[in-house]
Amino acid sequence: MRSAEEIAGLTSWHADWSGLRVAVLGLGVTGFAVADTLAELGAELLVLADRADEETADLLGVIGVPLVRDGLPEAFDVFAPELVVVSPGFAPHHPLVERATSRGIAVWGDVELAWRLRDKTVRVAEWIAVTGTNGKTTTVQLATAMIAASGKRVVACGNVGVPVLDAVRDPIGFDVLVVELSSFQLHYLDSMSAWASVCLNVAEDHLDWHGSAEAYREAKAKVYERTVTACVYNIEDEATRTMVERAEVVDGCRAIGFGLGLPGPSDLGVVDRIVVDRAFLDDRQRSAIELTTIDELEVVGLGSPHMVANVLAACALTRSLGVAPGVIRLALRAFLLDHHRTETVAEADGIRWVDDSKATNPHAAAASLEAFDSVVWVVGGLLKGVDVNALVAANAPRLRAAVVIGADRSAVVDAFARHAPETPLFEVDTADTIEVMPTVVRLSAAVARSGDTVLLAPAAASMDQFTDYADRGNRFATAVHEMLGGRADDHEPPAPPRDEL
C-alpha cells in the first residue's frame, strides 16, 4: 500500500506507476483515455461506470481493464483503490467521490494526471490554459491557429479537440498544448504550471455541480495558479482581475489585460477599430503594435464584441510565446468559426435565422442577443440551477417574441411573466425530440418580420431533449431549410462535440 506522500510524488511518466491500484470513475472519452494511459504504465485498474457505450466497453476489454456497471460502492470497497481518477461529470458530492475523500484517497482528474505525465517524450510541451464561462473553445481554436502559423507543433486539447492524455502520449510530442479547461476539470487540478493562462469571463453556471457561485469561481481561479509567464485577464470583468491578484504565480509572471477599449501599458485593446498590443513590446508606455482591424475580423465572422474579446485573449496568449504580429494577422484572415456559434444558417424574406446553440448559459446568450436589434428568441432547456430573470429583463426591449423549449419550461415562462409580460410568448410542449425544432421554426416564422433575426441562443444546456448542443443546432438548421424549401444556402451539419461542459 503506497502512502499519500508516495502517490503525491508521482510526477513523471518515468516514475514507478506499476501495480498502483487506481479506480477510474466514468467511461466516456476521458475515462477511456485515463484507463488506456494507466494500463500502459502498468497500474492495476478498475473502471466504475453505470453507463458505458458498448464500443468503448469492448475497447476496454481489449486492453485488459475490468469494468463494473452495477454495485459500484461495493466494487469500490473490495478493490480498495490507492488513487481515484474521475471523469469531469463526477461532482464532488457524488457518492463515490465522497467515499474516496472521506478515506483520504487522492482524487485527480484527467488533466492533473496528464500534467504529471507530460514528460513522456523528450519534446515536453508548454501549456497554454484557457477557461471562462464562455468563449473557451473559440479562444483555444484561435490561439492554436496562430501558434501553428508560427511553425510550432501545437494541438488543441482538454475539453475540446483530443483528450489531453492522448496529447501528452503523442509519440512525436508537441511544442505547445492549448488546453481548454472546464470548471469541472479545474476543480480536480492542483499541480499545473502553465506557460500562460486566461479566464475569459465569469458568470453563474454549473451551480448544480459546484454547489454555489463562489465554489464555481474558486474552480475557475485555479487556472492562474503557478503560471510562468502571463496571466491574461479580462479588463471588463473584475472577477478575473481579482483572480490574478490572488494567484500564487512563478516569479516574473506578468498580468496582461485585454478589453474592447483603449489599452493601457501591458494591455491589448482597440484603438479606432484597430486591434493593438501594448503588452509585448519594449516601449509599451508610448507605443503599440497593430495586430488586425475590426473590419478584417468582420470578414471572417469575428467582428461582434464577444468575438473580438476572444481574439484579444488569444493574441495575448500567443504573443507571450513570441508569435509575430504578422503571423497572427495571417492566421486570423484564414480562420473559420465552428458551427453553432452565432452561425447564420439561412436568410430569406428579410429574416435571418441564426444558430447559437453553443450559448448554453445566460452569459453566452446575452452576448449573442446583443448582436441583433430585433429578435425572435428561441430559449430554454436544462438551466443547471442558473437564474434567467436578469437575462430576460435586460433583453425584453429587443424581442419581437420568444419561443420557449425544454422539458421543464416553468422557470423561463415565469421570468417572462415577471419581466417581459408584453412579449409574445410561445411554448413548445411536445415531448418528441423530432418535433421540437419543426415546431420552433413554424412558430417563429409566423411571428417574425423582415429585419428580424430568429435566434437560437437557449441560455441552457441541451441534454433534457437533445443529445448535445450540436444535435440541437443541427435540428434547428434542418427544420429551417425544410421550411424554406431551398430558398436559402445549404447548411452542412458538423460532427457532434465531445463534451458539453
Side-chain angles (χ1 to χ4, degrees), residues 230-463:
C231 289
V232 179
Y233 69 94
N234 186 342
I235 294 169
E236 296 163 17
D237 191 323
E238 186 63 30
T240 67
R241 180 195 293 269
T242 301
M243 290 175 182
V244 173
E245 291 171 347
R246 294 176 178 175
E248 294 290 337
V249 300
V250 174
D251 287 346
C253 180
R254 296 172 58 197
I256 307 294
F258 71 91
L260 301 178
L262 299 175
S266 289
D267 296 339
L268 283 77
V270 180
V271 180
D272 295 332
R273 293 180 63 84
I274 299 171
V275 175
V276 299
D277 169 11
R278 285 191 68 188
F280 298 98
L281 68 165
D282 292 334
D283 188 13
R284 57 180 181 267
Q285 294 294 332
R286 294 179 296 180
S287 302
I289 298 172
E290 180 175 332
L291 300 176
T292 186
T293 67
I294 301 300
D295 291 341
E296 289 184 24
L297 293 178
E298 287 176 344
V299 170
V300 292
L302 295 170
S304 60
H306 64 293
M307 286 298 180
V308 174
N310 294 337
V311 169
L312 287 162
C315 288
L317 294 168
T318 54
R319 290 288 288 146
S320 78
L321 286 165
V323 178
V327 171
I328 287 174
R329 192 168 209 150
L330 289 173
L332 287 168
R333 285 174 177 170
F335 188 76
L336 295 175
L337 265 176
D338 266 1
H339 294 286
H340 313 300
R341 287 172 174 80
T342 327
E343 177 185 10
T344 298
V345 298
E347 289 188 62
D349 302 324
I351 299 168
R352 186 178 181 188
W353 299 79
V354 175
D355 168 14
D356 198 7
S357 185
K358 186 64 169 64
T360 59
N361 56 60
H363 189 268
S368 189
L369 284 160
E370 288 167 7
F372 306 102
D373 295 326
S374 182
V375 177
V376 176
W377 183 20
V378 183
V379 57
L382 191 62
L383 289 175
K384 303 174 288 184
V386 174
D387 190 339
V388 296
N389 281 276
L391 177 67
V392 171
N395 288 281
R398 76 179 73 246
L399 298 181
R400 171 80 66 188
V403 179
V404 185
I405 62 174
D408 182 1
R409 301 174 299 282
S410 57
V412 176
V413 171
D414 289 348
F416 273 92
R418 283 193 293 272
H419 302 291
E422 303 302 318
T423 300
L425 192 70
F426 305 91
E427 289 189 63
V428 178
D429 58 4
T430 178
D432 185 350
T433 294
I434 295 174
E435 292 300 320
V436 172
M437 286 306 171
T439 305
V440 164
V441 169
R442 185 174 65 253
L443 292 170
S444 300
V447 72
R449 300 291 180 266
S450 179
D452 288 348
T453 297
V454 178
L455 175 64
L456 172 65
S462 59
M463 291 82 73

Side-chain angles (χ1 to χ4, degrees), residues 129-136 139 179 181-183 186 196-203 216-225 227 230-244 256-258 309-310 313 317 363:
V130 180
T131 195
T133 302
N134 296 299
K136 297 185 293 295
T139 302
V179 189
L181 295 168
S182 71
S183 60
L186 284 162
S197 56
V198 66
C199 182
L200 298 165
N201 44 61
V202 183
Y216 174 70
R217 288 193 298 270
E218 288 175 354
K220 289 293 190 187
K222 282 189 172 186
V223 75
Y224 291 120
E225 294 297 321
T227 299
C231 289
V232 179
Y233 69 94
N234 186 342
I235 294 169
E236 296 163 17
D237 191 323
E238 186 63 30
T240 67
R241 180 195 293 269
T242 301
M243 290 175 182
V244 173
I256 307 294
F258 71 91
N310 294 337
L317 294 168
H363 189 268

